[in-house]
C-alpha cells in the first residue's frame, strides 16, 4: 500500500527533501507546523486538493520532520529552515511564491519574507509563531511530547476545539508516525526545555515586522490553546499590509476545523487585485 505522506523527492539546500507538488499556475508553498510526527501531507491534506485547482501547490516536509532527510549533526535553527525553504524554491526553479505558514511554519514564512523579499509574494499566517509571547501550557506539552497513544490523544484534544475531530484512529496514526525510527530523537532534540528560548528564536522583532511589505492575511482560532490569539492580534497591529480573520469555535487547527472557509479565504486573498 502506498503511503500518501510520501510525495516527490528533490535535493534542496543539500537535503534530500520529501515534498508534494500539485496543480498548475502561480506557486504557493505550504509550510507545516511542528507537532510530533507531523508531515506536510498530514498538516495540509484537506487543503491541497482545493488550492491546487487554482495554483501550483508545493508542500515540503521541513528538515527534522516527516520523510525529509536529516543530515547528521544538523543544527535546527530559523536560519537553516529559511535556507531550506529557499533551497526548495531554487531546486524547483521557482523565483517567487506565496507562502502559507502554520504555527511554527508561520514564523518561518515571516523570516523568509524578511530575508528574501524578492522571493515572496503574499503571506498567509495561520496560528502563527513569529512574534514573542509567553510559552503556553499547550505548546509546552506539544514540544515536550513523550510517545504514547494516550499522550498523542491528549495533544490532539489540545489542537481541536471540536473534539469529534479527534478519533482513536487518528491518535494511533499520529502516534505511529511519531515513533518511526529516528523521529522522536530528532523531535526531542529540536525544542528541549526550557522551551521559551526556542519560541523566542522563531520570533522576528517588531522593527522587522513593521518593515514587511507583503500583503498578509492572518488567520487564528479564537479558542487556540497552543498559540494564543493575542499573538496574531499583535502581528495584525505591527504588519503594515495586514488583515486578520478570527474563527470562533476553533482551536489551533483552523485549516482542518473550518476547511472550506479557510480554503476560500486563502484563494480569495491570493486572487485579489492589488489596489
Amino acid at each position: 500500500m502506498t503511503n500518501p505522506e510520501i510525495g516527490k523527492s528533490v535535493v534542496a539546500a543539500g537535503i534530500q527533501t520529501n515534498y508534494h507538488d500539485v496543480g498548475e499556475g502561480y506557486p504557493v508553498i505550504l509550510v507545516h507546523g511542528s507537532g510530533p510526527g507531523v508531515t506536510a501531507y498530514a498538516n495540509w491534506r484537506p487543503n491541497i486538493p482545493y488550492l491546487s485547482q487554482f495554483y501550483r501547490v508545493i508542500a515540503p516536509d521541513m528538515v527534522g520532520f516527516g520523510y525529509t532527510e536529516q543530515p547528521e549533526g544538523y543544527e535546527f535553527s530559523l536560519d537553516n529552515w529559511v535556507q531550506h525553504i529557499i533551497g526548495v524554491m531554487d531546486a524547483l526553479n521557482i523565483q517567487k511564491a506565496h507562502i502559507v505558514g502554520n504555527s511554527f511554519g508561520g514564523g518561518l514564512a515571516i523570516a523568509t519574507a524578511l530575508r528574501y523579499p524578492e522571493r515572496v509574494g503574499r503571506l498567509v499566517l495561520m496560528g502563527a509563531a513569529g512574534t514573542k509571547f509567553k510559552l503556553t501550557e499547550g505548546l509546552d506539552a506539544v514540544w515536550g511530547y513523550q510517545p504514547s497513544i494516550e499522550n498523542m490523544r491528549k495533544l490532539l484534544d489540545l489542537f481541536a476545539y471540536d473534539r469529534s475531530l479527534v478519533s482513536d484512529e487518528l491518535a494511533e496514526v499520529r502516534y505511529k508516525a511519531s515513533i518511526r525510527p529516528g523521529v522522536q530523537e530528532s523531535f526531542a532534540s529540536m525544542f528541549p526545555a526550557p522551551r521559551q528560548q526556542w519560541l523566542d528564536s522563531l520570533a522576528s522583532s517588531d522593527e522587522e515586522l513593521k518593515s514587511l511589505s507583503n500583503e498578509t492575511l492572518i488567520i487564528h482560532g479564537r479558542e487556540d490553546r497552543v498559540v494564543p490569539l493575542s499573538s496574531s492580534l499583535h502581528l495584525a497591529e505591527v504588519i503594515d499590509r495586514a488583515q486578520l480573520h478570527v474563527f470562533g469555535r476553533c482551536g489551533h487547527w483552523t485549516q482542518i476545523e473550518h476547511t472550506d472557509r479557510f480554503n476560500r479565504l486563502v484563494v480569495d486573498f491570493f486572487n485579489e487585485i492589488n489596489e
Side-chain angles (χ1 to χ4, degrees):
M1 190 172 124
T2 56
N3 182 349
E5 295 188 317
I6 298 175
K8 300 178 179 180
S9 189
V10 71
V11 177
I15 296 160
Q16 198 72 44
T17 301
N18 178 58
Y19 72 105
H20 304 268
D21 191 344
V22 188
E24 297 177 352
Y26 192 88
V28 173
I29 297 174
L30 307 180
V31 187
H32 60 72
S34 62
V38 75
T39 64
Y41 178 82
N43 198 141
W44 302 112
R45 66 191 182 282
N47 317 110
I48 290 172
Y50 185 83
L51 299 180
S52 63
Q53 294 176 57
F54 307 92
Y55 299 98
R56 179 185 178 189
V57 177
I58 294 139
D61 286 352
M62 297 305 298
V63 60
F65 298 94
Y67 293 86
T68 286
E69 170 203 19
Q70 183 185 317
E72 194 170 340
Y74 186 84
E75 181 190 350
F76 297 117
S77 68
L78 188 61
D79 289 346
N80 285 341
W81 278 313
V82 167
Q83 288 308 316
H84 191 210
I85 291 172
I86 294 297
V88 168
M89 293 177 70
D90 288 346
L92 300 179
N93 294 313
I94 293 169
Q95 189 52 41
K96 193 170 186 178
H98 299 321
I99 301 184
V100 183
N102 171 23
S103 194
F104 154 85
L108 271 53
I110 290 169
T112 303
L114 284 168
R115 296 169 194 200
Y116 296 90
E118 73 287 356
R119 306 294 298 271
V120 181
R122 293 188 167 213
L123 284 177
V124 177
L125 307 174
M126 188 187 79
T131 186
K132 290 195 175 182
F133 59 89
K134 186 175 183 296
L135 182 74
T136 61
E137 285 184 23
L139 185 54
D140 200 33
V142 171
W143 281 354
Y145 166 81
Q146 292 296 319
S148 74
I149 291 181
E150 183 186 7
N151 285 345
M152 182 58 78
R153 175 81 201 212
K154 285 178 183 172
L155 282 196
L156 297 180
D157 278 337
L158 261 181
F159 282 120
Y161 173 80
D162 178 1
R163 300 298 194 282
S164 70
L165 291 170
V166 180
S167 64
D168 291 337
E169 180 187 24
L170 178 62
E172 186 173 355
V173 167
R174 300 313 321 146
Y175 163 69
K176 285 180 177 173
S178 77
I179 57 166
R180 284 193 304 109
V183 168
Q184 177 59 20
E185 293 81 355
S186 170
F187 186 71
S189 73
M190 207 175 287
F191 307 112
R195 296 186 178 90
Q196 183 71 50
Q197 62 182 317
W198 309 115
L199 181 57
D200 292 348
S201 75
L202 294 173
S204 299
S205 69
D206 279 5
E207 289 70 29
E208 289 173 313
L209 292 169
K210 284 173 183 172
S211 75
L212 263 183
S213 60
N214 310 71
E215 291 283 352
T216 304
L217 171 63
I218 302 165
I219 300 172
H220 214 107
R222 186 182 62 201
E223 284 79 22
D224 193 332
R225 293 191 287 162
V226 179
V227 175
L229 174 58
S230 58
S231 169
S232 279
L233 293 173
H234 184 70
L235 289 172
E237 282 179 4
V238 295
I239 296 174
D240 183 34
R241 297 181 178 181
Q243 52 182 292
L244 172 65
H245 192 103
V246 179
F247 285 96
R249 300 175 64 82
C250 182
H252 194 55
W253 268 357
T254 314
Q255 85 283 22
I256 294 171
E257 296 193 74
H258 293 276
T259 299
D260 292 343
R261 287 174 168 180
F262 173 84
N263 288 342
R264 288 196 301 270
L265 199 60
V266 170
V267 168
D268 286 349
F269 172 66
F270 287 157
N271 283 345
E272 280 177 359
I273 305 297
N274 278 325
E275 297 297 327

